Amino acid sequence: MPTATEADRRRARVRAAAPIAHLYVHFPFCARKCPYCDFNSHAQREAEIDAYVEALGVELDRWRDCLAPETVFVGGGTPTHAAPHQLARYLTHVRAACPAPPAEFTVEANPGSLTPAKVEVLAGAGVTRVSVGVQSFDDALLRRLGRIHDAQEAEAAFALLRAGGFEHLSLDLILALPGQTLAAQERDVRQAVALAPEHVSAYVLTYEEGTAFTRAMRAGRLPAPDDDRELEYLHVVRAGLEGAGYRRYEISNYARAGAECRHNLAYWRDADWLGVGAGAHSHVGAWRWKNEDGPSRYIAGQLQGAGAIAFEEASDPKTRVLEKLMMGLRLAEGVDLGAVGAATGVDVLRRRPERLALYEREGLLVREGPRVRLTPRGFDVVNAVVRGLTA
Amino acid sequence: MAARRLEHIRNFAIVAHIDHGKSTLADRFLELTGLLEERSGAHQVLDDLDLERERGITIKARAVRMAYRKDGRDYVLNLIDTPGHVDFSYEVSRSLAACEGAILLVDSTQGVEAQTVANAYLAVEAGLELLPVLNKVDMQGARPEEVKEEIETVLGIDARHALACSAKTGEGTRAVLERLIEVVPPPVGDPEGPLKALLFDAVYDTYRGVVVYVRLIDGSLAAGQRVRLVKAGRDYDVMEVGVLAPHRTKVARLEAGESGYLVASIKSLEDVNIGDTVTTSPPPEGFKPLPGYREPQPMVYCGLYPTYPKDFEALRKALQTLRLNDASFTFVPETSEALGFGFRCGFLGLLHMEIVQERLERDSDVDLVQTAPNVTYEILKTDGTTVRVEKPSDVPDPNYIEEFREPITRCSMIIPHESVGSMMKLCTEKRGVYVETQYLSPTRVMLVYDMPLAEIVFDFYDKLKSATRGYGTLDYEVKAYQAAELVRMRILVNGVEVDALSMICHRETAEPRGRRILQRLRKTIPRHLFAVPLQAAIGGKVVARETISALRKDVTAKCYGGDVTRKRKLLEKQKAGKKRMKQVGNVEIPQKAFLSVLSSDEDDDAKR
């Protein structure tokens, strides 16, 4: 448990950076745990939701004087897994922490969990944007992914949200699923485009440590990831979405002009944000910390103490450079290395001129003055580029 | 100063192939002469280093004095033990020079093997009386009649009266001892003359310093005497003389014809030379040292590097300690751009190298990386000078090379007859020149080839073993240096030469070897953000090439606020892995890539 002084120091640091313009809220409950998911999510714990909502209210209240959110993102878990009255209550807590209505207020939703009542609650709470976890339109693949919805429900959810007046909808796809064919992948993209979301997130399936998928893969029941295949699928999806007029503004994110997710842009641009809820991360200046993952411990920590922190760290200047490049080079706009140097005192342009020149020659990046941005080929190897530039 | 026959003394050795039972037979002799209680458990007294016992190889010779009464006469029998491997053939020859006779011990289940032949020849050359003895006759599969025939065919020794025994059970061993007394001539020498003794071995003792083993030819030796080691040019006061019975036992004096030891404040084995002559100080007028002395010359080299750089000093200490016991092994510090700081070590041969490495690992806690062995070359330069080349970087510019020479061995292989075809093919591949074939029996053949030592140290022994399903045995002796089409092959990674990977090889085998190296590099160097060409080149000519294609995918699909710390740590971990790599131009080469090429224990395709 952190001492009161640690919490005080943290608060003082946040207050010095206030007002914080970005707020993340975590809702860690799901109807079912998907076998590929390594997020902080818990199934069959509905009894805890009411207490959790109260704890969220306490934590939000504690940060109230530091917050002036321009963007809010409620993620999970499944934020819409709560009952309508629970959803309404915690969104009210969130809204109460914002002095003015946030310009972008996103809630993640699972198609299987959306009802007209919940959509009404979302609209009433000032939510401006809903991110729908569709993942695929192939029912067999959805079952294999452990999803509780099918393609028809995904389409119904979109209709419901449009009817509820939502103008910013995002659709999540997972690519290169085991057993998926390239043709099926192209079909998924076409069906996604047909729903006309303003924003699409398209992630290659990742086998994360500790998930059922990874265990199955190690045991030989699922095929091992294949870089060449994944790259092929990724390129097909990119071509499909760009052909339909979406711009790839981040490695895995596509949007109509002006419909980029401002909240997530804040992460990639290394802005400050506060995260509340179980397992939520916060980032202010050089500092990062994370709340306790377990809902029960989170609830107890918020209700009885100053909050339970899982870890806290301050990054040194070189680590800050790594963070800024690792996040920023994911964006089409790239990174202003001059600004990175000014903020950290580490001049990448001067430290690694030969690498920059080499990568530019290899067609991996483009330089425009102090700004560096990756080409599509560079995106495919972003980790290696970041390692090279920060070596 | 008339020479006398010293009728009661017999100096003899046992020559045999490894594992044919030499040490066991020696133990039986010690029992028969009362030096060892029967089955006391302290078997194989002659091999007192654990390692030698395990390997069944006696590396350091000893001289044991035994007393035996036969037909009412007391005899002094000196058993002078010899190393069992031809890496030590010079040492063997010096030990044999201290004897008048030898038991030629052959395992009657195995028959004549390559080292039986080599050691028997050495004994014949030394003018020794040979007594053939067949061992293990109690075993199933013993075929004494065939083995006798093999001895006669290959060695030209009359084996009709060869004795049969079982050193294990003791059966027949007394007869061997008694026959020995009959056939081995007594030594001839002048006990009253000036001291003349052959220094045939020496060991280092932590408490006494160097203990020198000598065979007295003329004169006598006692404590208090001042002696000179002729070759070393040093004088010493003898502090103690004695015999091994079987442990060191002080005696008042050693006389002509006898063997024993002397202790004389000699600090290091480097100060004594095997084969040197010991005489009085100053030597008598007109003194001539004994013939046959030679400087031991390392023929095989390899690099020994600590796996962890912090162990460098520990390794140096371990090497120094080892050298106290083995002056024939040499080491000098060297730096490899791939492996860091280590030592270049010289050995008499392959087995010697193996033994040294094992001993190092056993006696010190240092993890070792051993580079593939290479041999010592000779280069005749255009200015008429000759230089010895121990590593590829010593090779001068081709313009200054008149002749590039390599050591050639006379190589005897005893193999089952059905392997003759595959062995001849292998020998040809290894640039061998056929000398002769001899049938030992209808099923066993001795093939003799002249073969470059470089080919033998590379992977020949493994290939011989697999071609003969483990039955083949090999012996070789360096004969001479011969000019050959040798070249220095360079390895270039992304156009930059990697010094640590260059090698000397024959022009004809350069291409396949180069290709193999490049293939290993291709497997072990991770992909980069650009394609990395790999080339093997002789001078400016590329003889093999491979390409590591550019990395195509290394991207984290999803990276949001909450992932920053975890994903960053993953990148940092990958970066830390890169730090341990060697940067060559723009390319990062992991140590395992160097090891896959340099290391001797990764001969994956060699063992195909």
Side-chain angles (χ1 to χ4, degrees):
Chain A
M1 289 288 284
T3 63
T5 33
E6 274 175 17
D8 291 345
R9 273 200 291 270
R10 188 176 314 119
R11 168 163 295 278
R13 281 194 299 267
V14 175
R15 192 169 283 137
I20 306 295
H22 308 284
L23 171 67
Y24 176 78
V25 180
H26 194 71
F27 187 83
F29 302 98
C30 280
R32 187 154 117 193
K33 179 84 183 176
C34 297
Y36 59 88
C37 171
D38 75 330
F39 287 165
N40 182 24
S41 60
H42 306 268
Q44 311 295 323
R45 301 268 289 266
E46 284 74 12
E48 266 179 329
I49 292 179
D50 283 325
Y52 184 79
V53 168
E54 291 321 300
L56 267 186
V58 171
E59 193 186 13
L60 280 163
D61 198 43
R62 196 175 286 133
W63 289 119
R64 189 184 294 234
D65 58 339
C66 301
L67 282 166
E70 292 164 19
T71 73
V72 173
F73 196 105
V74 182
T78 310
T80 51
H81 180 54
H85 71 278
Q86 294 167 323
L87 183 63
R89 185 160 171 79
Y90 81 73
L91 290 179
T92 305
H93 288 321
V94 173
R95 186 60 189 76
C98 305
E104 181 188 282
F105 189 164
T106 305
V107 173
E108 284 183 341
N110 181 338
S113 69
L114 273 180
T115 61
K118 288 184 196 174
V119 171
E120 202 176 309
V121 169
L122 294 176
V127 171
T128 63
R129 187 174 177 273
V130 180
S131 170
V132 187
V134 173
Q135 321 308 6
S136 171
F137 292 91
D138 182 324
D139 288 345
L141 289 175
L142 284 171
R143 275 195 298 279
R144 186 179 288 191
L145 283 175
R147 303 298 294 192
I148 58 168
H149 70 274
D150 58 22
Q152 211 181 345
E153 278 176 298
E155 282 159 13
F158 259 71
L160 202 57
L161 289 164
R162 290 297 188 203
F166 286 97
E167 293 175 359
H168 277 100
L169 295 182
S170 181
L171 186 152
D172 281 5
L173 284 180
I174 304 185
L175 318 186
L177 297 166
Q180 190 175 28
T181 63
L182 200 58
Q185 184 70 78
E186 286 178 311
R187 236 177 0 254
D188 266 356
V189 174
R190 276 199 305 276
Q191 281 182 267
V193 169
L195 287 179
E198 282 68 36
H199 185 280
V200 177
S201 298
Y203 317 105
V204 170
L205 175 71
T206 310
Y207 288 89
E208 303 284 359
E209 274 311 313
T211 62
F213 259 37
T214 298
R215 284 193 295 275
M217 185 263 290
R218 298 236 166 93
R221 295 193 303 275
L222 282 179
D226 173 344
D227 278 348
D228 288 340
R229 173 174 180 261
E230 288 172 3
L231 213 52
E232 191 180 11
Y233 281 53
L234 202 149
H235 290 167
V236 157
V237 170
R238 178 185 142 217
L241 290 173
E242 287 184 345
Y246 293 89
R247 190 176 76 96
R248 186 191 198 186
Y249 73 100
E250 193 263 358
I251 285 175
S252 303
N253 286 276
Y254 300 78
R256 298 268 181 225
E260 295 84 6
C261 178
R262 289 179 55 192
H263 184 85
N264 286 337
L265 278 172
Y267 293 149
W268 294 315
R269 288 171 179 161
D270 196 40
D272 292 346
W273 78 84
L274 280 175
V276 301
H281 290 252
S282 298
H283 169 229
V284 175
W287 291 84
R288 293 180 192 277
W289 67 93
K290 181 187 185 234
N291 285 347
E292 279 284 1
D293 275 329
S296 310
R297 294 182 69 175
Y298 169 76
I299 294 166
Q302 293 305 329
L303 297 183
Q304 285 142 34
I309 301 295
F311 82 86
E312 181 169 39
E313 62 170 10
S315 300
D316 59 28
K318 278 175 112 176
T319 307
R320 292 288 292 132
V321 172
L322 174 60
E323 291 170 355
K324 280 171 179 288
L325 294 190
M326 161 186 129
M327 298 305 279
L329 286 176
R330 299 182 65 86
L331 290 172
E333 67 186 27
V335 172
D336 182 337
L337 291 180
V340 171
T344 62
V346 180
D347 190 344
V348 178
L349 287 168
R350 194 168 299 165
R351 280 189 74 231
R352 286 284 167 220
E354 80 295 342
R355 295 282 170 103
L356 282 167
L358 176 68
Y359 299 162
E360 194 174 18
R361 231 178 16 251
E362 293 291 327
L364 302 174
L365 58 79
V366 176
R367 296 171 67 179
E368 285 147 359
R371 185 165 280 282
V372 169
R373 58 182 177 79
L374 298 189
T375 63
R377 266 195 56 216
F379 276 156
D380 290 342
V381 290
V382 58
N383 293 345
V385 170
V386 170
R387 282 196 304 268
L389 291 180
T390 57
Chain B
M1 293 217 306
R4 274 194 352 232
R5 279 169 74 88
L6 305 157
E7 286 295 346
H8 64 294
I9 301 175
R10 298 292 182 274
N11 291 306
F12 71 101
I14 306 173
V15 295
H17 189 79
I18 291 169
D19 283 340
H20 279 203
K22 180 171 70 170
S23 299
T24 314
L25 181 61
D27 280 355
R28 292 296 88 75
F29 288 167
L30 297 181
E31 287 167 9
L32 288 170
T33 56
L35 289 183
L36 192 66
E37 274 181 48
E38 271 187 49
R39 297 284 183 267
S40 70
H43 294 309
Q44 305 199 351
V45 164
L46 293 182
D47 291 346
D48 66 358
L49 290 166
D50 288 351
L51 190 62
E52 287 159 14
R53 182 165 308 180
E54 262 172 41
R55 302 180 65 99
I57 301 163
T58 308
I59 301 152
K60 299 307 290 182
R62 300 287 186 283
V64 180
R65 171 187 288 209
M66 300 172 279
Y68 190 78
R69 193 174 173 84
K70 179 177 183 283
D71 305 331
R73 287 189 66 175
D74 287 320
Y75 291 92
V76 170
L77 309 179
N78 291 309
L79 167 54
I80 293 168
D81 202 19
T82 59
H85 190 273
V86 82
D87 276 357
F88 309 96
S89 66
Y90 171 68
E91 283 76 358
V92 175
S93 77
R94 292 307 84 199
S95 291
L96 293 177
C99 303
E100 280 78 37
I103 293 172
L104 177 67
L105 187 68
V106 183
D107 181 332
S108 59
T109 66
Q110 304 282 324
V112 170
E113 299 284 13
Q115 283 146 35
T116 318
V117 179
N119 287 326
Y121 283 161
L122 284 174
V124 171
E125 266 170 47
L128 266 50
E129 189 63 43
L130 275 185
L131 172 61
V133 174
L134 307 182
N135 192 18
K136 308 193 188 178
V137 288
D138 58 318
M139 302 247 303
Q140 267 202 341
R143 41 186 185 86
E145 289 314 311
E146 283 170 48
V147 173
K148 277 185 199 173
E149 220 178 283
E150 289 181 5
I151 294 173
E152 295 195 351
T153 314
V154 186
L155 302 171
I157 295 168
D158 185 351
R160 273 172 304 175
H161 304 298
L163 294 173
C165 75
S166 165
K168 203 170 107 201
T169 64
E171 174 195 339
T173 51
R174 182 177 294 276
V176 172
L177 201 62
E178 299 207 338
R179 176 76 69 81
L180 190 83
I181 293 170
E182 289 160 16
V183 301
V184 173
V188 176
D190 179 6
E192 317 301 333
L195 173 65
K196 188 184 235 184
L198 171 68
L199 190 167
F200 66 86
D201 198 6
V203 294
Y204 183 79
D205 180 302
T206 320
Y207 304 104
R208 325 278 319 258
V210 175
V211 179
V212 169
Y213 292 91
V214 288
R215 154 74 198 272
L216 271 71
I217 308 298
D218 297 322
S220 64
L221 186 62
Q225 211 169 321
R226 192 163 178 80
V227 295
R228 171 165 300 177
L229 305 190
V230 176
K231 173 67 199 167
R234 286 169 190 260
D235 291 351
Y236 294 97
D237 290 317
V238 176
M239 292 159 60
E240 180 183 318
V241 297
V243 296
L244 289 151
H247 305 290
R248 273 180 216 140
T249 310
K250 215 159 131 177
V251 297
R253 60 175 50 237
L254 289 172
E255 302 224 329
E258 291 185 323
S259 300
Y261 70 88
L262 72 86
V263 176
S265 304
I266 304 174
K267 295 276 182 300
S268 157
L269 278 179
E270 289 174 59
D271 299 331
V272 301
N273 305 279
I274 306 297
D276 201 355
T277 307
V278 183
T279 184
T280 53
S281 171
E285 199 110 344
F287 177 79
K288 277 207 191 93
L290 295 161
Y293 175 76
R294 237 170 55 196
E295 291 283 346
Q297 277 212 327
M299 290 311 299
V300 176
Y301 283 84
C302 79
L304 289 179
Y305 290 82
T307 307
Y308 307 103
K310 65 174 173 54
D311 287 340
F312 177 78
E313 277 309 318
L315 176 58
R316 181 203 295 278
K317 256 189 105 175
L319 289 169
Q320 279 164 345
T321 309
L322 201 61
R323 193 169 153 75
L324 285 177
N325 274 308
D326 183 356
S328 55
F329 135 78
T330 63
F331 67 97
V332 289
E334 77 169 354
T335 317
S336 153
E337 56 178 324
L339 305 171
F341 293 100
F343 297 92
R344 185 140 202 92
C345 304
F347 309 92
L348 298 172
L350 267 186
L351 180 88
H352 187 209
M353 179 174 81
E354 246 177 75
I355 289 166
V356 167
Q357 197 196 2
E358 275 178 37
R359 218 173 260 171
L360 271 177
E361 282 183 348
R362 172 172 313 196
D363 298 348
S364 66
D365 261 343
V366 181
D367 270 338
L368 288 177
V369 173
Q370 185 190 326
T371 67
N374 64 277
V375 304
T376 306
Y377 295 91
E378 252 181 34
I379 287 177
L380 173 63
K381 301 212 296 187
T382 44
D383 63 5
T385 58
T386 304
V387 289
R388 276 170 75 83
V389 170
E390 287 160 13
K391 51 183 190 290
S393 55
D394 291 345
V395 177
D397 187 283
N399 293 330
Y400 297 103
I401 299 177
E402 185 69 43
E403 213 170 71
F404 207 144
R405 299 170 185 153
E406 65 178 334
I408 301 292
T409 62
R410 171 65 53 94
C411 182
S412 313
M413 295 146 275
I414 295 185
I415 56 171
H417 70 113
E418 65 268 19
S419 308
V420 168
S422 51
M423 275 313 297
M424 290 183 80
K425 190 162 164 276
L426 176 61
C427 291
T428 307
E429 268 171 32
K430 295 290 179 187
R431 301 189 281 129
V433 174
Y434 176 82
V435 178
E436 63 170 335
T437 313
Q438 230 182 330
Y439 267 80
L440 278 63
S441 71
T443 57
R444 292 182 7 110
V445 179
M446 180 163 83
L447 274 183
V448 182
Y449 270 81
D450 284 347
M451 200 148 13
L453 181 61
E455 299 290 345
I456 292 179
V457 303
F458 185 53
D459 59 5
F460 184 74
Y461 191 62
D462 287 336
K463 287 195 165 173
L464 172 134
K465 281 291 177 192
S466 74
T468 61
R469 287 176 289 115
Y471 289 114
T473 57
L474 165 71
D475 204 280
Y476 65 87
E477 192 177 9
V478 175
K479 265 178 52 186
Y481 273 82
Q482 263 177 27
E485 282 284 300
L486 295 167
V487 290
R488 171 165 172 236
M489 183 161 65
R490 302 178 303 138
I491 302 295
L492 296 96
V493 173
N494 203 22
V496 180
E497 177 171 353
V498 186
D499 220 21
L501 297 180
S502 64
M503 60 163 55
I504 296 167
C505 57
H506 195 266
R507 194 179 289 278
E508 273 174 23
T509 57
E511 192 189 317
R513 273 181 91 164
R515 187 170 308 117
R516 193 155 70 190
I517 288 170
L518 298 188
Q519 280 163 355
R520 288 182 185 179
L521 291 178
R522 190 166 58 83
K523 277 187 219 148
T524 45
I525 297 177
R527 285 178 169 197
H528 282 61
L529 285 169
F530 42 89
V532 178
L534 306 172
Q535 296 162 307
I538 297 169
K541 188 175 169 259
V542 173
V543 295
R545 70 176 81 231
E546 290 276 341
T547 304
I548 302 170
S549 56
L551 178 71
R552 291 188 61 214
K553 179 174 175 291
D554 185 0
V555 53
T556 306
K558 200 170 189 173
C559 197
Y560 285 126
D563 301 321
V564 176
T565 302
R566 194 160 60 109
K567 301 269 155 74
R568 186 197 75 218
K569 285 189 171 151
L570 197 65
L571 282 176
E572 281 170 342
K573 206 170 132 195
Q574 291 164 344
K575 275 169 64 181
K578 301 230 170 233
K579 280 223 174 84
R580 288 196 297 273
M581 295 192 192
K582 172 77 194 164
Q583 182 92 26
V584 175
N586 274 322
V587 180
E588 280 143 350
I589 306 183
Q591 201 191 36
K592 72 170 186 225
F594 286 106
L595 292 183
S596 75
V597 175
L598 298 176
S599 163
S600 49
D601 41 78
E602 292 227 14
D603 272 336
D604 47 340
D605 16 30
K607 278 176 185 153
R608 235 174 352 203

